[in-house]
Amino acid sequence: MELLVVLVLGLLGIAGATAIGPRLGVSAPLLLVVVGILVSFLPFVPEVVVDPEWILAGVLPPLLYSASVAMPSMEFRREFSAISGFSIALVVVSSVVLGLLFAAIIPELGIAGGIALGAIVSPTDAVATSIVKRVGVTPRIVTVLEGESMLNDATALVLLRSAIAAGAASLSFWSIAGDFLWAVAVAVVLGFVVGRVNLWVRSRVKDATVNTVISLTVPFLASLPAEALGGSGLVAAVVAGLVTGRNAIRSLPPQHRVSDAQTWRAIELVLEGGVFLVMGLEMAAILDDLADTAYGIHHGLLLAAIALVVVLLVRAAWVFPTLAVFARRNRRAAAMKPRLTAVKDRLESRDLQQMTEEIAERAAATGRGVGRVPSAERMARFRVRIRRKVADLDYFLAVPLGWREGTVIVWAGMRGAITLAAAQTLPADTPARSLLVLTAFFVAGISLIGQGGTLPWLVRLVKPAGIDRGAVAAERQQIAALLGEVTDRVLARHEGFSRETGTPAQIREVRLEAIRAQREALLAARDDGLYSSAMLAEALDTLDADQISLDLRAERDEEAAA
């Protein structure tokens, strides 16, 4: 009964913080952390100690899966070079730098123990990035931060595991690199397979509620086998989510996708809020563990402050040169864009079969390249690649990432629940373990409250590129024109049809045919990267709502006729 009361009070607290936080100008996660810390010191509240496996294996997989399902696949592909650099190389560099520093400050830790603590505090937190979405930055920044936080956990946990093992036996660089490659490879394969099988099974389920229940098992079906095989369960859940998010619209009916979205939004709210609330509630227990050691709270605060300063400096030293490289790439892209655009226009204005024949005639006349004449199919694939390349260039040039955006990316890399959960997995015989856990808590808490609380102020100060309302309106008009053209083509196939003379059944069938054709046109535009993911999602949601309305009306008509 007591546990049930605690759960109910926790849910009410999460709901209250979510509703009140915006009115107070405070993000709900920050409010929940503060409330949890204050509640943990009340005399009638027992110590709260949560097994870290509940966070690592029970909470993070569904949260990362849900975030990756919602991640725009085209933007993720475009930003993958930045995401992979931040989530792998930056974590390794940060862990090693912090490891050497911690080993010098606390000699009993040793290099391996120092790197273990460095790996704990290096990764940004996927749950903490929910704060970023509320401050009005561009989708590019959100995509980079979300992608980084979804993947860097794997790097950090592999480093942590290897550092702990190195404390008992020597490990070579190649052994650690092999562990990491195996963890990622296993996760990618299993995540991809689970994502595809998940859609295949759910596409054959007719009940939307049953379909949603099956979706709740997907992150665990990916993460648990991956962990059993020595892979990264978190990366497996992310890959399964990416596969599901990209292909669900072609595999599942609108009713099922809407049911999924509503359910997962509620789950995200509860799990995210629960993580931050529990994190605050653990404060009293962590301090009690420290009481029996030679260290005090001030040692933990000092170590946490040093760790945060160093990790932010290392992050800045990585982010700004990376963005400078991207800036040079953008300048080269701007120079080559006119030529690529001319090639694209020529390919799209000509008949591919005719172009192939002309190439063959020129080759025969000159005697060169006769055996290398491309087929119409190869020309079609080449045209798609050029179209996507031009769209990618437009994307990078429209909202470049400069020093203003880089400043936000550096400051928005917050630590959170993953840091505390990882610290609590340290073996019991780890030197100064209680101090390390307290340090991890302070790193996460100060990062969330300090960086998260000042992020809106920083955005107003540096003024990164915002959302171009004019471009959004123009893009919305372009999508409306595309949908209108598709509708005209569908109506042209039904000669003599009109809304005035058609029966309700005929009107419904023609409308459904138009919706399906419009959806395919939008998905083709998504694959080519022609429009922003936000505008495409808006148009696709409207089509889903229209189709659901038509289906409900048809069901009511059938019931009335019966």
Side-chain angles (χ1 to χ4, degrees), residues 149-170:
S149 63
M150 287 192 300
L151 297 179
N152 62 12
D153 296 338
T155 307
L157 292 177
V158 169
L159 277 176
L160 175 60
R161 185 170 59 195
S162 300
I164 291 173
S170 61

Side-chain angles (χ1 to χ4, degrees), residues 34-85:
V34 173
V35 169
I37 292 173
L38 296 176
V39 170
S40 72
F41 289 106
L42 295 177
F44 55 85
V45 175
E47 289 187 354
V48 176
V49 179
V50 177
D51 187 338
E53 284 301 314
W54 279 105
I55 303 295
L56 297 176
V59 174
L60 288 181
L63 279 176
L64 293 177
Y65 171 81
S66 179
S68 57
V69 167
M71 171 72 72
S73 58
M74 184 60 64
E75 277 81 347
F76 184 82
R77 176 188 65 79
R78 286 166 167 166
E79 304 291 357
F80 188 72
S81 59
I83 290 170
S84 58

Side-chain angles (χ1 to χ4, degrees), residues 34-334:
V34 173
V35 169
I37 292 173
L38 296 176
V39 170
S40 72
F41 289 106
L42 295 177
F44 55 85
V45 175
E47 289 187 354
V48 176
V49 179
V50 177
D51 187 338
E53 284 301 314
W54 279 105
I55 303 295
L56 297 176
V59 174
L60 288 181
L63 279 176
L64 293 177
Y65 171 81
S66 179
S68 57
V69 167
M71 171 72 72
S73 58
M74 184 60 64
E75 277 81 347
F76 184 82
R77 176 188 65 79
R78 286 166 167 166
E79 304 291 357
F80 188 72
S81 59
I83 290 170
S84 58
F86 294 163
S87 60
I88 299 175
L90 177 56
V91 172
V92 172
V93 172
S94 300
S95 300
V96 172
V97 171
L98 286 169
L100 296 175
L101 179 63
F102 289 140
I105 296 174
I106 310 176
E108 62 185 288
L109 270 183
I111 298 295
I115 291 178
L117 182 55
I120 287 169
V121 302
S122 290
T124 57
D125 192 86
V127 181
T129 56
S130 62
I131 299 172
V132 180
K133 299 178 182 178
R134 301 180 175 94
V135 298
V137 296
T138 62
R140 280 200 71 181
I141 294 177
V142 174
T143 299
V144 170
L145 290 170
E146 276 197 326
E148 175 193 5
S149 63
M150 287 192 300
L151 297 179
N152 62 12
D153 296 338
T155 307
L157 292 177
V158 169
L159 277 176
L160 175 60
R161 185 170 59 195
S162 300
I164 291 173
S170 61
L171 289 178
S172 67
F173 165 80
W174 297 111
S175 174
I176 296 174
D179 284 346
F180 177 76
L181 292 176
W182 173 257
V184 173
V186 168
V188 169
V189 172
L190 277 176
F192 180 82
V193 171
V194 169
R196 300 294 294 189
V197 173
N198 146 59
L199 290 175
W200 182 84
V201 171
R202 292 170 60 199
S203 66
R204 286 155 175 77
V205 175
K206 303 302 181 184
D207 189 290
T209 304
V210 174
N211 207 307
T212 299
V213 170
I214 295 174
S215 77
L216 301 180
T217 68
V218 175
F220 303 105
L221 292 175
S223 64
L224 295 178
E227 291 288 345
L229 294 174
S232 170
L234 301 182
V235 173
V238 168
V239 174
L242 290 172
V243 172
T244 301
R246 178 172 177 79
N247 299 295
I249 194 166
R250 284 193 169 104
S251 302
L252 305 178
Q255 294 90 335
H256 293 196
R257 286 184 276 109
V258 170
S259 173
D260 281 0
Q262 292 173 340
T263 301
W264 276 103
R265 274 198 293 270
I267 289 173
E268 277 188 29
L269 176 65
V270 172
L271 292 182
E272 284 183 2
V275 164
F276 288 115
L277 184 60
V278 167
M279 181 178 159
L281 289 171
E282 288 186 297
M283 178 64 174
I286 292 172
L287 292 180
D288 284 346
D289 288 341
L290 192 69
D292 299 329
T293 69
Y295 299 103
I297 296 177
H298 62 284
H299 293 106
L301 280 171
L302 180 61
L303 274 180
I306 293 172
L308 267 177
V309 170
V310 171
V311 82
L312 284 173
L313 289 175
V314 172
R315 184 173 179 82
W318 187 276
V319 168
F320 288 114
T322 300
L323 297 187
V325 172
F326 291 166
R328 288 197 297 271
R329 183 185 65 181
N330 286 344
R331 289 193 291 270
R332 292 195 300 269

